Amino acid sequence: MASSPGQKPSLKTGGSGQSRFQVDIVTEGASVVSGEHTAPMGTDGTTANAGEETKPRSRSVNFMDPGGIGSAMDLGISSDVAQNSDTVRSESSHHSGMTLGSDTHSSTYYMRTFGHNTIDAIPNIDFYRQTEAPLGDKLIRPTLSELHDELDKEPFEESLANGEEPTAAEEAAAKKAKEAAKSGTIKFGWVKGVLIRCMLNIWGVMLFIRMSWIVGQAGIGLTCAIILMATVVTTITGLSTSAIATNGFVRGGGAYYLISRSLGPEFGGSIGLIFAFANAVAVAMYVVGFAETVVEMLNDVDALMTDELNDIRIVGTLTVILLLGISVAGMEWEAKAQIVLLVILLGAIADYFIGAFIPVEEKEPKGFFGYKAAILMENFGPDFRDGETFFSMFAIFFPAATGILAGANISGDLTDPQSAIPKGTLLAILITGITYIGVAFSAGSCIVRDATGDQNDTLASDVNCTDAACTLGFDFSICKEGGCQYGLMNDFQVMGLVSGFGPLITAGIFSATLSSALASLVSAPKVFQALCKDNIYPGLGMFAKGYGKNNEPLRGYVLTFCIGLAFILIAELNVIAPIISNFFLASYALINFSVFHASLANSPGWRPSFKYFNKWVSLAGAILCCVVMFVINWWAALVTLLIVLALYIYVSYKKPDVNWGSSTQALIYNQALTHCLHLTGVEDHVKNFRPQCLVMTGYPNSRPALLHLVHAFTKNVGLMVCGHVRTVSRRPNFKEVSQDHARCQRWLYKKNIKAFYTPVFAENLRHGTQYLLQATGLGRLKPNTLVMGFKNNWSDGEMRDVEIYINTIHDAFDLQNGVVLLRLPEGLDVSHVQDQDELLSSNEKPPGTLKDVVVAVNMKDVDSDSGLSKTTSSQSSPLIIKDSKSSPIPLSLADQRLLESSQQFKKKQGKGTVDVWWLFDDGGLALLIPYLLTNKKKWNDCRIRVFIGGKINRMDHDRRAMATLLSKFRIDFSDINVLGDINTKPKKHNRLSFGELIEPYRLKEDDMEQEVAERLKAQQPWRITDNELELYKAKTNRQIRLNELLKEHSSTAKLIVMSMPLARKGTVSSALYMCWLETLSKDLPPLLLVRGNHQSVLTFYS
């Protein structure tokens, strides 16, 4: 029988249900291709059982081989193999079922189809894709449950390999990616996508209108040094970019994607925003550079429309609208435009070099003489003028070396980013670096620094001069007085003079500016779209939407256009330009630091296929980038760093819900592991004692009062582990456990509670607590104190649970742990109350006004104070289900009081006292906990009052001795009370009440035969014998009396911390010990019973 749609096939044996991973031999060649289901035929011609689903479950692995293998008969497979569609048989069992004449065929079959005839899957790249992978379908390997569980049990419905279902957004993205792949998305190779873009972006206006001037100022030698320094920075950054880009699949987002996936959302989010903004403003810079050249040409022919400033605005606006049109038309048009611009640019560069070899006499008065050794020697050294320095020259040149991320910024549009980004970026740096050095040598070898442009300034016979122009027959000495308009130092357009065809240089300037503007106009929206998709800044989500087959960020284009237009209309970019350069440099610095950080973290996931990098070189590159930032403009560098810091703090505060496996996480793990190991090698010291508490909370939201109180004195001081003992009657579903664990830990994180949630499966509370006390923790970071809730309604349940509860306390003492019990009059467990603070699911709660309905699942989860719930051993596990129709059920008065009580330690405590009844010296834990509490902000209005036992005739002496001890411990207190009447006989009615309390639990052995009494005691060890009652009569009276004194002295205290009475194991029965604790703590304010492990936790030595 075929399984119903949507139903998961089981792995049960028999002929009715076929595993979804079972190979249907007949349909391998036919039905897989056709998409139809064909029942396999047996050797006798009958139809085999067809239990295969018509369509496998969503995203499941298809193990069928489409290679067209043929029928079972063709392969020589016997009918039992063809028919048995459920049992997955071993290779040997299959062979045993085959006919002798088919051995060769069967051996060939198994060799050809290994991995296709078993449930277990062979390695496949599609198993490792992310849900929204654009390059192929995400396939799901068979889960461990499906391979490991017994066949007669239904395997659990597993999901993705990481245990999380894909969100609707991820499903939509995957579907969109698949559709885009079918429709033919435009992708670029490394030449068109990276090399050309980087070269066009690096070859800016600086090449044509500033390079010659820098050579004039710094000389050929220092200019080459400047170019090499800039190239070193960009090369190191290029190597780092290559390393990150080859460490896994790269999506769109360029620098933002590389930094955020390496260093995390804090650095990535801050850099991503300023990098996108820098690219948007760079559009304006390049367009204004273009507009200024156009306006100069218009001015030369007296064709200005208005004035120069407004003409720049008009030309700039028209230009940016044209560029926007090219960009919006699609990446393919933009790439074609880039190629045209590259051809023009290459033509202009070639035009210059060709012109340099063709000396023309008419150009000599303007300083161009062709390649001359005298000019080379003269121009080799520096001649700084007008206050310029080496560093000012470097600052002017360095922006010309930027642009190396132009290819990486469109990483989402590359066919193979891992290969394209390293090859294209590094080759572009090499080619442009050689070009810049070539131009520097060329200009310095054939053009003099100063020239008048006058044909008559030839060398007179009586003039004595030694410069290069003199040797060539010209006297330009008048230029020393200033006023000359030609030569390297005076004419920014001197490359146009040298070139063979001047207008081509002008076209090159246009090409350089427009190509850089176009690259920036495309880069900014792509980076911004990637940033918005990650929802780092919630208000910017609208810009994440893409349009068309290439997912073009049209809204981002419009935003970039608006920003660019705004700065074009200002038309004064001298102030903003250095900030833009610093924004780019900040990105470069962080890319270099990312590689250093990832290498330092030594994560197994850091294995880039590009090997030509070194972490120390990357660190040096990051430092160099920071140095260059300050060299270019110190105040702009400070502004940049402040902006990055502000954005970093904002993103850190918002804590975006993303997990990218950043190197920050890897380094934290490394440091934590290293520090744990170092800590383990150091002996404990009393000065460094910290309460490390195992708090038996169950689900963290089940006992808020216990959670908040312990968190108050462990936060930033000690370890806190929320223990949860789960006893289930059915087989544990470990997938559910894993999801519960993630949900509970997430809840603690969202509530800013610094604790770990640790569940354990056990037969009962005692065994579970034993496991937790022995196994929880790492090295020195392990619990030393067990904290539990008091079992309020112990008398209503089974005494077996009381026996387990008391033995749990004994076990903690046996393991040398302290024990703390918290009792509130109303109780602690709120898991049965509807309006409790529910656990967060794995995703955020959806907005709206939906009501929360608590559904109790009888999982028999037992926690420390499970008696607080309405049942004794079967605690309800709260699951929150959203129901928009049902109205909230009104709470009973008791539940309302319970809810109010459960939140009392969460709020600020008003003025009051914390009463410490330090009756027995347990090492000082009973004193340390109140001290830590009152140091916290919520409790700092409370004062500590200390109560001790003493003799009536020496109360003053005892008070002074305790005051001296507390002052040596440096613990502030408001009062010390010495109780001299602890051993006074308690009131009669209280003694009678205690007698009524223990009556149901007495053995009364005197009223029965000895043999019967011994047998009953063996069956019910918790029963109280008459001998035991008589033996501990004094101790019983002390508990009753202490309760009277507590009511008398501490009835108004905010919290009472009291030494917990001990019961000798094996001598005092569980019932009697429970009655002592009940009698001591009843009808009081919140009470904390504390007993340390009798090792000192306080010292007055330095």
Side-chain angles (χ1 to χ4, degrees):
M1 178 187 293
S3 55
S4 59
Q7 182 180 352
K8 178 180 170 63
S10 70
L11 292 176
K12 294 181 180 178
T13 56
S16 59
Q18 182 179 349
S19 164
R20 69 182 173 99
F21 298 108
Q22 182 65 41
V23 177
D24 189 335
I25 300 168
V26 174
T27 58
E28 280 184 345
S31 62
V32 173
V33 177
S34 64
E36 298 174 359
H37 177 71
T38 308
M41 300 295 291
T43 52
D44 56 357
T46 59
T47 304
N49 295 327
E52 182 80 33
E53 285 184 314
T54 304
K55 185 179 181 181
R57 94 176 149 119
S58 174
R59 306 186 317 280
S60 66
V61 185
N62 185 356
F63 286 90
M64 296 184 177
D65 181 12
I69 298 174
S71 67
M73 286 292 287
D74 295 333
L75 296 168
I77 298 176
S78 60
S79 59
D80 66 330
V81 178
Q83 286 185 343
N84 189 357
S85 60
D86 289 314
T87 308
V88 180
R89 307 177 65 176
S90 67
E91 189 169 326
S92 59
S93 67
H94 277 303
H95 276 296
S96 65
M98 294 179 186
T99 59
L100 292 173
S102 62
D103 285 346
T104 307
H105 293 291
S106 61
S107 297
T108 306
Y109 168 74
Y110 281 111
M111 287 176 67
R112 286 177 58 195
T113 59
F114 171 74
H116 295 271
N117 58 329
T118 63
I119 293 180
D120 220 348
I122 58 174
N124 189 331
I125 189 174
D126 292 327
F127 293 145
Y128 296 90
R129 297 194 191 283
Q130 292 186 0
T131 312
E132 68 276 19
L135 299 182
D137 289 339
K138 163 74 174 174
L139 298 185
I140 308 301
R141 68 177 61 83
T143 63
L144 196 59
S145 298
E146 287 168 331
L147 296 173
H148 179 256
D149 284 357
E150 299 171 28
L151 284 171
D152 61 340
K153 293 189 177 181
E154 190 74 22
F156 297 119
E157 180 70 35
E158 297 277 357
S159 178
L160 300 181
N162 61 4
E164 293 182 1
E165 288 287 352
T167 62
E170 287 174 333
E171 291 282 15
K175 186 177 179 183
K176 196 168 187 178
K178 195 183 290 184
E179 289 172 357
K182 289 179 182 177
S183 62
T185 308
I186 304 301
K187 297 286 184 180
F188 304 114
W190 71 275
V191 174
K192 201 172 178 181
V194 182
L195 179 64
I196 291 175
R197 286 174 189 280
C198 288
M199 285 166 58
L200 283 170
N201 230 19
I202 297 171
W203 280 331
V205 187
M206 209 67 70
L207 177 63
F208 295 105
I209 62 175
R210 285 290 185 274
M211 199 68 225
S212 56
W213 178 72
I214 292 172
V215 172
Q217 289 274 1
I220 297 172
L222 289 184
T223 301
C224 289
I226 288 169
I227 295 168
L228 288 174
M229 280 177 61
T231 307
V232 164
V233 173
T234 54
T235 302
I236 293 173
T237 307
L239 293 172
S240 300
T241 305
S242 302
I244 300 175
T246 58
N247 190 50
F249 180 73
V250 178
R251 289 199 176 84
Y256 161 71
Y257 187 88
L258 298 178
I259 294 170
S260 63
R261 269 42 175 193
S262 295
L263 289 177
E266 295 84 6
F267 278 116
S270 55
I271 280 297
L273 200 60
I274 68 167
F275 189 71
F277 179 75
N279 272 292
V281 179
V283 174
M285 283 178 58
Y286 295 127
V287 168
V288 167
F290 169 77
E292 282 179 352
T293 311
V294 173
V295 169
E296 279 180 20
M297 292 173 63
L298 292 174
N299 195 23
D300 290 342
V301 295
D302 293 327
L304 288 178
M305 291 172 275
T306 54
D307 57 78
E308 283 193 15
L309 192 62
N310 285 321
D311 276 16
I312 289 173
R313 289 169 178 162
I314 293 167
V315 173
T317 302
L318 294 173
T319 306
V320 79
I321 290 172
L322 175 65
L323 294 177
L324 178 67
I326 294 172
S327 302
V328 170
M331 289 295 291
E332 193 175 6
W333 281 96
E334 188 264 349
K336 288 176 181 175
Q338 293 278 29
I339 291 173
V340 172
L341 293 172
L342 178 68
V343 170
I344 297 171
L345 193 55
L346 289 173
I349 294 171
D351 179 38
Y352 165 75
F353 281 110
I354 291 169
F357 285 100
I358 308 172
V360 180
E361 284 190 20
E362 294 81 29
K363 296 180 181 178
E364 289 182 357
K366 296 182 178 179
F368 171 57
F369 293 94
Y371 290 100
K372 303 292 180 183
I375 298 176
L376 172 66
M377 295 304 295
E378 184 179 82
N379 289 342
F380 198 82
D383 182 16
F384 293 115
R385 302 179 189 175
D386 301 326
E388 300 292 352
T389 63
F390 174 80
F391 288 110
S392 69
M393 289 298 101
F394 181 81
I396 289 167
F397 172 77
F398 188 81
T402 60
I404 59 171
L405 295 180
N409 287 340
I410 62 157
S411 51
D413 294 298
L414 300 175
T415 307
D416 183 9
Q418 285 184 287
S419 169
I421 291 174
K423 284 196 292 187
T425 304
L426 294 174
L427 190 57
I429 292 170
L430 178 64
I431 292 171
T432 53
I434 291 171
T435 307
Y436 279 129
I437 288 178
V439 170
F441 262 101
S442 173
S445 302
C446 60
I447 310 169
V448 295
R449 280 194 167 100
D450 298 290
T452 58
D454 190 346
Q455 291 276 6
N456 299 320
D457 286 337
T458 54
L459 186 64
S461 57
D462 59 340
V463 175
N464 183 20
C465 65
T466 57
D467 58 23
C470 291
T471 62
L472 297 171
F474 280 85
D475 179 14
F476 297 141
S477 55
I478 194 173
C479 291
K480 293 177 182 177
E481 300 171 9
C484 290
Q485 295 181 355
Y486 297 98
L488 293 174
M489 300 292 274
N490 309 304
D491 185 8
F492 289 156
Q493 304 287 344
V494 72
M495 285 183 70
L497 171 72
V498 174
S499 65
F501 181 63
L504 195 53
I505 295 294
T506 305
I509 294 172
F510 289 169
S511 174
T513 51
L514 292 178
S515 63
S516 298
L518 196 54
S520 298
L521 186 57
V522 170
S523 295
K526 294 281 185 182
V527 173
F528 197 57
Q529 182 186 33
L531 178 70
C532 296
K533 274 184 180 177
D534 289 333
N535 203 27
I536 303 295
Y537 302 100
L540 304 177
M542 61 177 290
F543 293 102
K545 184 174 175 59
Y547 297 86
K549 60 186 180 183
N550 263 37
N551 197 32
E552 296 289 350
L554 297 186
R555 295 175 180 177
Y557 282 129
V558 174
L559 180 66
T560 306
F561 169 77
C562 293
I563 294 171
L565 188 61
F567 281 95
I568 287 168
L569 294 177
I570 293 172
E572 287 290 338
L573 296 175
N574 291 339
V575 174
I576 201 72
I579 297 180
I580 304 302
S581 296
N582 277 311
F583 280 178
F584 285 124
L585 276 165
S587 305
Y588 297 171
L590 277 182
I591 287 175
N592 286 312
F593 183 72
S594 298
V595 172
F596 168 75
H597 199 268
S599 302
L600 192 68
N602 200 24
S603 169
W606 174 249
R607 45 182 190 276
S609 56
F610 183 85
K611 302 297 182 186
Y612 304 103
F613 71 94
N614 178 279
K615 65 180 177 182
W616 301 112
V617 172
S618 295
L619 178 63
I623 295 169
L624 267 175
C625 288
C626 294
V627 170
V628 170
M629 285 171 66
F630 282 92
V631 166
I632 289 176
N633 191 309
W634 66 267
W635 63 262
L638 285 177
V639 169
T640 304
L641 293 177
L642 287 174
I643 293 172
V644 171
L645 185 64
L647 291 172
Y648 179 89
I649 292 170
Y650 171 78
V651 178
S652 300
Y653 175 76
K654 296 296 287 185
K655 293 184 177 66
D657 188 20
V658 293
N659 182 11
W660 295 322
S662 66
S663 60
T664 307
Q665 295 172 349
L667 195 63
I668 289 171
Y669 174 87
N670 257 13
Q671 290 171 341
L673 192 60
T674 304
H675 291 157
C676 277
L677 289 170
H678 285 170
L679 201 59
T680 305
V682 180
E683 290 295 326
D684 286 331
H685 194 281
V686 62
K687 285 196 295 184
N688 292 326
F689 175 85
R690 295 165 183 265
Q692 303 190 129
C693 300
L694 172 63
V695 191
M696 305 304 291
T697 58
Y699 284 109
N701 65 333
S702 298
R703 294 165 179 81
L706 185 64
L707 189 75
H708 293 140
L709 182 64
V710 178
H711 184 245
F713 65 80
T714 58
K715 182 181 180 183
N716 298 329
V717 174
L719 176 71
M720 178 176 172
V721 178
C722 296
H724 185 184
V725 178
R726 302 182 66 173
T727 62
V728 293
S729 54
R730 60 182 174 86
R731 180 173 60 122
N733 183 338
F734 290 104
K735 178 171 179 287
E736 288 179 4
V737 174
S738 176
Q739 290 175 342
D740 273 354
H741 185 280
R743 187 165 64 247
C744 293
Q745 195 63 55
R746 182 188 182 87
W747 184 88
L748 289 168
Y749 178 76
K750 289 291 183 184
K751 297 294 179 183
N752 202 26
I753 294 172
K754 297 181 179 181
F756 301 94
Y757 170 72
T758 307
V760 66
F761 282 95
E763 295 175 13
N764 54 45
L765 171 69
R766 182 185 183 184
H767 289 162
T769 308
Q770 284 177 347
Y771 302 154
L772 288 169
L773 284 172
Q774 292 178 79
T776 301
L778 193 67
R780 298 276 180 210
L781 296 175
K782 61 185 304 179
N784 55 28
T785 306
L786 175 67
V787 184
M788 300 197 295
F790 184 80
K791 200 170 181 65
N792 267 22
N793 59 350
W794 62 274
S795 57
D796 298 337
E798 298 178 15
M799 286 306 294
R800 180 175 58 86
D801 293 331
V802 174
E803 179 83 2
I804 289 171
Y805 182 76
I806 296 300
N807 281 329
T808 302
I809 297 173
H810 288 316
D811 291 341
F813 290 135
D814 287 343
L815 293 167
Q816 295 299 300
N817 282 273
V819 175
V820 176
L821 301 180
L822 174 64
R823 181 170 189 178
L824 298 185
E826 298 83 4
L828 293 172
D829 190 0
V830 300
S831 60
H832 60 284
V833 181
Q834 177 182 341
D835 287 343
Q836 62 159 321
D837 189 6
E838 75 276 6
L839 292 177
L840 295 171
S841 64
S842 58
N843 296 318
E844 291 295 332
K845 291 195 294 182
T849 57
L850 301 180
K851 305 299 179 185
D852 297 341
V853 178
V854 179
V855 179
V857 179
N858 188 14
M859 288 185 64
K860 202 177 180 186
D861 285 7
V862 176
D863 300 312
S864 60
D865 55 336
S866 55
L868 293 175
S869 61
K870 299 303 180 187
T871 58
T872 52
S873 63
S874 178
Q875 177 191 317
S876 296
S877 164
L879 299 180
I880 304 303
I881 295 177
K882 298 291 178 184
D883 185 0
S884 56
K885 296 180 181 177
S886 62
S887 56
I889 304 167
L891 295 175
S892 65
L893 193 61
D895 283 345
Q896 287 179 7
R897 284 203 301 268
L898 174 60
L899 274 181
E900 289 172 9
S901 168
S902 71
Q903 300 298 318
Q904 63 180 306
F905 298 131
K906 189 178 180 181
K907 53 194 177 187
K908 168 85 174 170
Q909 305 295 312
K911 288 189 176 180
T913 61
V914 174
D915 289 356
V916 181
W917 291 64
W918 198 20
L919 304 179
F920 306 103
D921 195 333
D922 60 350
L925 187 63
L927 197 58
L928 180 62
I929 288 176
Y931 165 76
L932 294 174
L933 263 181
T934 53
N935 268 358
K936 300 297 182 180
K937 189 176 180 181
K938 288 179 182 175
W939 289 84
N940 60 7
D941 287 341
C942 295
R943 296 288 172 263
I944 294 177
R945 290 196 304 177
V946 180
F947 293 82
I948 58 172
K951 293 182 179 179
I952 295 178
N953 57 356
R954 48 178 293 173
M955 289 175 67
D956 287 341
H957 175 269
D958 291 342
R959 184 180 291 108
R960 285 196 300 273
M962 179 53 63
T964 302
L965 181 60
L966 291 176
S967 64
K968 283 179 179 279
F969 284 150
R970 304 170 304 283
I971 292 177
D972 294 330
F973 60 91
S974 62
D975 194 16
I976 296 176
N977 294 281
V978 181
L979 304 171
D981 53 351
I982 291 178
N983 290 325
T984 306
K985 201 171 184 179
K987 295 175 183 176
K988 185 177 179 180
H989 71 274
N990 288 329
R991 295 202 309 273
L992 291 174
S993 297
F994 184 81
E996 292 172 3
L997 179 65
I998 63 171
E999 186 63 29
Y1001 313 113
R1002 293 183 60 182
L1003 181 63
K1004 298 181 181 177
E1005 66 270 27
D1006 293 342
D1007 299 341
M1008 60 183 75
E1009 294 181 6
Q1010 183 178 354
E1011 187 179 337
V1012 175
E1014 288 176 354
R1015 188 166 61 249
L1016 184 60
K1017 179 67 175 174
Q1019 292 171 351
Q1020 299 177 344
W1022 44 266
R1023 286 203 173 271
I1024 307 169
T1025 64
D1026 294 340
N1027 183 42
E1028 175 189 359
L1029 207 54
E1030 185 61 32
L1031 183 63
Y1032 291 104
K1033 186 175 181 180
K1035 195 164 186 177
T1036 299
N1037 286 336
R1038 188 188 308 142
Q1039 312 310 320
I1040 301 171
R1041 177 60 185 157
L1042 281 172
N1043 181 258
E1044 293 173 356
L1045 291 171
L1046 283 163
K1047 289 176 180 175
E1048 179 184 342
H1049 294 283
S1050 297
S1051 57
T1052 59
K1054 294 287 184 182
L1055 178 69
I1056 302 171
V1057 181
M1058 188 172 194
S1059 297
M1060 186 171 77
L1062 279 180
R1064 190 172 295 279
K1065 189 172 59 171
T1067 306
V1068 179
S1069 62
S1070 300
L1072 181 58
Y1073 190 25
M1074 196 72 217
C1075 290
W1076 284 351
L1077 297 176
E1078 170 69 29
T1079 302
L1080 176 66
S1081 60
K1082 69 179 180 181
D1083 303 328
L1084 290 170
L1087 174 70
L1088 211 57
L1089 293 171
V1090 179
R1091 175 68 71 156
N1093 65 355
H1094 287 247
Q1095 299 292 320
S1096 294
V1097 301
L1098 295 171
T1099 181
F1100 44 77
Y1101 294 106
S1102 60

